[in-house]
Amino acid sequence: MLICPQCKFENPNSNKFCQNCGTSLTHKVCPECSTDDVPVNALRCHNCDTECGTVFWAIIAKETTGEALRVEGDEEDKGDVGVDGDEEAIPSSSPVSPSFQIALGSYLDSQERYQLLDTLPVQTETTSITDVGVRVLDCQPYQISPIGAMLASQQSDLLTPSVETSEIPHLARLYIALQSQGERGIPPIHDAWQQGDIQVVIIEDRSNWQHLLDRWQEETTSSLKILHWCYQMAQLWAVLEPVNCRQSLLDLSNLRLDEDQTLALQRLYVESSNSQPVGESPEDVQAQTSDIPEKPLTIQALGRVWQSLFRQSQRTQFGSVVQMLGDLDVGKIQTIAQLRSRLEEISIEIEALGTPTLPPIKEKNTAVPTIPQSDEPEDIISKTDDMPTVVLAMQLSSLEDAGRTDVGRQRHHNEDYFGIETKIHKLELPKSRVLEGHGLYILCDGMGGHAGGEIASELAVNTLRQYFQEHWIANQLPTEESIREAVYLANEAIFKLNQQDARSGVGRMGTTLVMLLIQDTEAAVAHVGDSRLYRLTRKRGLEQVTVDHEVGQREITRGVEASIAYARPDAYQLTQALGPRDESSIDPDVGFFDINEDTLLLLASDGLSDNDLLETHWQTHLEPLLSSGANLERGVTDLIDLANQHNGHDNITGILIRAKVRPNLES
């Protein structure tokens, strides 16, 4: 099936346009020049020559370790390839000989989907290649892959190596298992298949991501930032240990940084005594391993990697770092927990000393160990420990937002109203950067009919805005008492207007409220009614922060089964709202939480949240918005469009807030 890139609707393979929204399934828009007739299987735009194709990283590996993989390619021709190559594809239905050849521009599969963009390494007398990694063009980018379909349906029984009947290669199962844990540092898998004794795994292309070593050696990189990367490596070590992939951390060229300067791996390497990462020269491998006998892998290897990073970046080790690396080398630090604790102690020491950076000097060479062969894990998932999110105090690095409201497809007027008020103070110097963020986000869903609900929702937003303009002390989040006072004042403003106009019964206007206050990395939420706050992080996924004030939920809190509670005809009737009654009838929920990892927050009226719309579509419509490069204005528009397609019975309002954080390096 073809997945529409716009609305994610599933279309038959024969469709040229999405039967739901009409988007072309054969052509796309160039992101650079906006040409709208670029074939989806083209690597470059025919108008401006910008690379806009869907590119992945392909790993071609021998399943057995006794025999090398022999591949050949044209070393002369390294230009762009077309999509109409006539080279013979590797048949996916028959075993592959160890001496098969893959030419530049040929396809890795018999369906002619993945086309080779790079030349392959050539085996020589001194090198023995067991696997290769190359960029490939996806010529059918809207076609869902079998792996993608499996992950979408959450068939978790295929995630462990114990499923012997599965055709999923062993290497692919490792990616799937780690992806199921939401581990950000591991590249997501896109496709995979087995060809005899050859495994082909298609993953995210991270070949152009910044090398950790390059950032490590920059003079402006603080010592605390380096410690944070060390801590992230220790976290990944614990994640990779159960799947025998710790070797992935021992190749410096495999250590990359994402757009938020978070440590990430380009790919996985499975531990074995006779394997070497593809891309390193024989001299590099010999230099790293010649002095180290083969023995069971321990966290001493991490210490050698850090020594190598210091040496190659020409930065000095200092005080406590020297002591830590020495203790690692002689075995005084034996567990990841001990290592994390030591890193935390050093970070506190550096903060106290106020040392912002490490001076550059050259050091002697230090070897990196070879990796001995280890047994296959019995269970990939269950052995992985939960890791803490952060080691250092976090500070805000960016705060962005976007809001939009829409009348919907059935209402004639819009009773929703929202307000966004942010203040950003930024101080940036050559070796330090401080960002202070202050944000007030209010969403109200009015009730009471035309010229009723609209008035109530707008009045509530403006009352709250005015209150916090006068009572929000700079650089300090308001107290729970203060927030409650603001909500009561908004209720009083609407209640007095109802009394003044002698409104009664259903004619009394009112509104729901969900309000978010952010001060740097601290947040507070208050709500009345069924408008909601959602929180999304890469580690925890989507969470509904607020609990609706409605009859069905009230019954559940009293111990009634959910199926019975929501079978009531009045299950969705509100138990609280601002305005219809005096303040004695409302009890706003107020809560506080810290933002200690990159977070996307969404305030939503019920027109957006009804029918589990966000719970169903968050991976396609919310998760991508965590990325700094994603446009929040476009994201909230897409959410409104999605709600109109699946709900549309009510007004629709959403406010998106993206809060990015980083270690506090200037304490």
Side-chain angles (χ1 to χ4, degrees):
M1 67 184 68
L2 300 176
I3 306 299
C4 173
Q6 180 65 32
C7 69
K8 310 304 176 184
F9 187 80
E10 298 177 359
N11 295 269
N13 290 336
S14 59
N15 277 26
K16 294 185 178 181
F17 296 92
C18 176
Q19 62 190 40
N20 182 59
C21 69
T23 298
S24 174
L25 301 177
T26 59
H27 293 80
K28 59 187 173 183
V29 177
C30 172
E32 183 67 24
C33 68
S34 299
T35 298
D36 60 2
D37 60 345
V38 181
V40 296
N41 63 351
L43 177 63
R44 295 184 177 276
C45 171
H46 57 77
N47 183 51
C48 67
D49 202 40
T50 296
E51 183 174 310
C52 56
T54 303
V55 177
F56 290 101
W57 188 258
I59 301 169
I60 310 165
K62 284 281 293 183
E63 188 171 38
T64 57
T65 58
E67 189 172 11
L69 173 67
R70 299 180 62 190
V71 293
E72 297 180 7
D74 182 3
E75 294 183 307
E76 299 293 333
D77 181 11
K78 294 187 179 182
D80 296 325
V81 300
V83 297
D84 298 318
D86 55 3
E87 290 83 355
E88 183 179 356
I90 304 170
S92 59
S93 58
S94 60
V96 179
S97 165
S99 61
F100 73 89
Q101 299 182 9
I102 312 175
L104 184 68
S106 63
Y107 296 94
L108 295 183
D109 60 317
S110 58
Q111 291 77 32
E112 298 189 349
R113 174 169 184 171
Y114 302 107
Q115 188 176 34
L116 208 62
L117 295 179
D118 300 327
T119 56
L120 296 168
V122 178
Q123 180 175 320
T124 68
E125 294 181 359
T126 59
T127 62
S128 177
I129 299 174
T130 55
D131 74 12
V132 294
V134 290
R135 295 168 75 240
V136 293
L137 174 68
D138 187 352
C139 297
Q140 302 170 29
Y142 301 156
Q143 176 73 49
I144 190 169
S145 68
I147 295 291
M150 186 202 73
L151 291 174
S153 60
Q154 299 181 339
Q155 296 179 15
S156 57
D157 58 324
L158 296 180
L159 299 185
T160 65
S162 61
V163 184
E164 300 295 338
T165 59
S166 174
E167 296 180 357
I168 299 175
H170 169 72
L171 181 59
R173 295 190 210 135
L174 303 180
Y175 284 94
I176 294 171
L178 293 171
Q179 186 172 333
S180 71
Q181 300 175 41
E183 179 50 58
R184 183 182 180 185
I186 311 301
I189 188 170
H190 177 72
D191 204 351
W193 61 89
Q194 187 89 21
Q195 302 172 196
D197 57 356
I198 302 298
Q199 305 178 74
V200 180
V201 180
I202 309 294
I203 60 174
E204 180 182 40
D205 177 26
R206 297 181 171 181
S207 60
N208 61 344
W209 288 24
Q210 184 180 25
H211 287 271
L212 173 64
L213 178 60
D214 292 342
R215 190 72 174 89
W216 191 291
Q217 67 187 4
E218 292 181 9
E219 292 185 6
T220 56
T221 299
S222 76
S223 54
L224 281 175
K225 185 65 175 177
I226 286 176
L227 281 176
H228 191 61
W229 287 328
C230 292
Y231 192 84
Q232 290 175 332
M233 290 180 72
Q235 287 180 303
L236 277 175
W237 180 276
V239 170
L240 296 171
E241 183 174 9
V243 297
N244 291 335
C245 288
R246 291 168 293 182
Q247 182 178 345
S248 310
L249 290 166
L250 306 186
D251 173 12
L252 296 190
S253 67
N254 197 45
L255 303 179
R256 304 297 180 109
L257 295 174
D258 68 9
E259 60 188 7
D260 299 315
Q261 300 296 295
T262 298
L263 182 71
L265 301 178
Q266 182 178 350
R267 55 160 294 183
L268 293 178
Y269 288 113
V270 182
E271 299 163 22
S272 76
S273 59
N274 61 350
S275 64
Q276 71 181 60
V278 174
E280 291 188 331
S281 67
E283 293 78 14
D284 290 337
V285 176
Q286 184 177 3
Q288 291 179 355
T289 62
S290 58
D291 299 330
I292 304 170
E294 293 182 8
K295 57 184 178 181
L297 190 62
T298 68
I299 60 172
Q300 290 177 342
L302 272 183
R304 296 188 179 101
V305 170
W306 296 339
Q307 288 174 345
S308 182
L309 282 162
F310 278 112
R311 181 183 70 251
Q312 295 193 38
S313 65
Q314 301 185 3
R315 297 186 70 134
T316 185
Q317 304 164 17
F318 71 98
S320 299
V321 172
V322 174
Q323 183 65 46
M324 177 193 68
L325 293 175
D327 289 347
L328 264 175
D329 193 49
V330 300
K332 289 185 179 180
I333 301 176
Q334 297 185 345
T335 68
I336 287 294
Q338 292 172 344
L339 183 57
R340 291 200 305 265
S341 178
R342 180 68 70 88
L343 289 167
E344 291 171 358
E345 292 172 1
I346 297 174
S347 71
I348 294 172
E349 175 186 328
I350 294 175
E351 288 176 330
L353 293 174
T355 306
T357 59
L358 300 177
I361 68 167
K362 289 190 175 182
E363 295 188 325
K364 296 180 180 180
N365 291 338
T366 305
V368 177
T370 54
I371 310 301
Q373 187 171 2
S374 58
D375 296 332
E376 178 173 304
E378 295 177 0
D379 186 341
I380 295 177
I381 301 174
S382 62
K383 293 184 180 179
T384 302
D385 295 331
D386 291 333
M387 305 297 294
T389 303
V390 293
V391 56
L392 306 174
M394 306 302 285
Q395 70 177 26
L396 198 66
S397 64
S398 67
L399 183 65
E400 303 169 86
D401 51 62
R404 185 183 163 194
T405 185
D406 186 82
V407 68
R409 294 183 302 173
Q410 297 182 19
R411 298 292 177 91
H412 298 294
H413 58 281
N414 194 345
E415 296 181 297
D416 288 1
Y417 200 79
F418 72 91
I420 296 175
E421 192 166 339
T422 56
K423 298 177 183 177
I424 304 295
H425 175 70
K426 177 180 176 182
L427 172 63
E428 188 159 3
L429 301 171
K431 294 186 178 181
S432 66
R433 181 177 183 272
V434 177
L435 185 80
E436 295 176 350
H438 170 113
L440 175 64
Y441 309 93
I442 311 168
L443 186 154
C444 292
D445 180 357
M447 63 194 74
H450 184 59
E454 297 168 46
I455 294 174
S457 58
E458 183 175 356
L459 182 57
V461 169
N462 290 334
T463 302
L464 291 164
R465 286 183 56 247
Q466 182 177 349
Y467 175 89
F468 288 112
Q469 286 172 359
E470 299 172 359
H471 295 84
W472 192 336
I473 301 174
N475 303 324
Q476 183 177 341
L477 203 62
T479 64
E480 178 178 349
E481 181 181 359
S482 178
I483 294 172
R484 285 183 173 276
E485 181 181 0
V487 175
Y488 288 137
L489 284 176
N491 182 83
E492 182 182 4
I494 303 169
F495 177 73
K496 284 184 175 180
L497 195 56
N498 277 322
Q499 296 295 91
Q500 175 184 319
D501 295 344
R503 293 174 179 258
S504 62
V506 295
R508 295 178 72 82
M509 59 185 175
T511 184
T512 68
L513 165 71
V514 60
M515 176 172 61
L516 176 69
L517 304 90
I518 292 179
Q519 182 65 59
D520 301 330
T521 58
E522 297 180 335
V525 57
H527 91 286
V528 174
D530 62 356
S531 293
R532 296 177 178 176
L533 173 67
Y534 288 88
R535 176 175 54 195
L536 174 65
T537 63
R538 289 188 174 94
K539 290 289 185 183
R540 302 175 63 92
L542 183 70
E543 300 171 286
Q544 181 180 328
V545 179
T546 56
V547 178
D548 295 344
H549 294 146
E550 59 188 16
V551 171
Q553 189 62 50
R554 182 196 66 191
E555 295 304 299
I556 291 174
T557 59
R558 292 175 176 175
V560 178
E561 292 288 338
S563 58
I564 299 175
Y566 277 95
R568 295 173 54 125
D570 60 348
Y572 294 97
Q573 181 176 320
L574 296 182
T575 57
Q576 290 192 56
L578 297 184
R581 302 189 183 97
D582 62 26
E583 68 176 52
S584 64
S585 66
I586 64 168
D587 182 18
D589 287 340
V590 180
F592 295 82
F593 60 91
D594 292 328
I595 302 173
N596 52 24
E597 58 181 310
D598 292 347
T599 303
L600 186 74
L601 296 151
L602 171 63
L603 283 71
S605 66
D606 58 351
L608 180 56
S609 62
D610 275 353
N611 301 316
D612 294 329
L613 185 71
L614 297 169
E615 288 81 357
T616 303
H617 297 277
W618 68 269
Q619 290 175 305
T620 55
H621 284 72
L622 290 178
E623 189 171 30
L625 299 177
L626 278 168
S627 172
S628 298
N631 186 299
L632 288 186
E633 295 283 354
R634 176 62 184 270
V636 75
T637 297
D638 289 345
L639 284 173
I640 298 293
D641 292 343
L642 181 71
N644 270 318
Q645 293 168 19
H646 296 275
N647 289 336
H649 58 277
D650 199 353
N651 307 144
I652 306 164
T653 304
I655 301 175
L656 285 170
I657 304 104
R658 180 169 60 215
K660 292 279 192 177
V661 296
R662 61 185 177 88
N664 189 348
L665 309 179
E666 287 83 33
S667 297

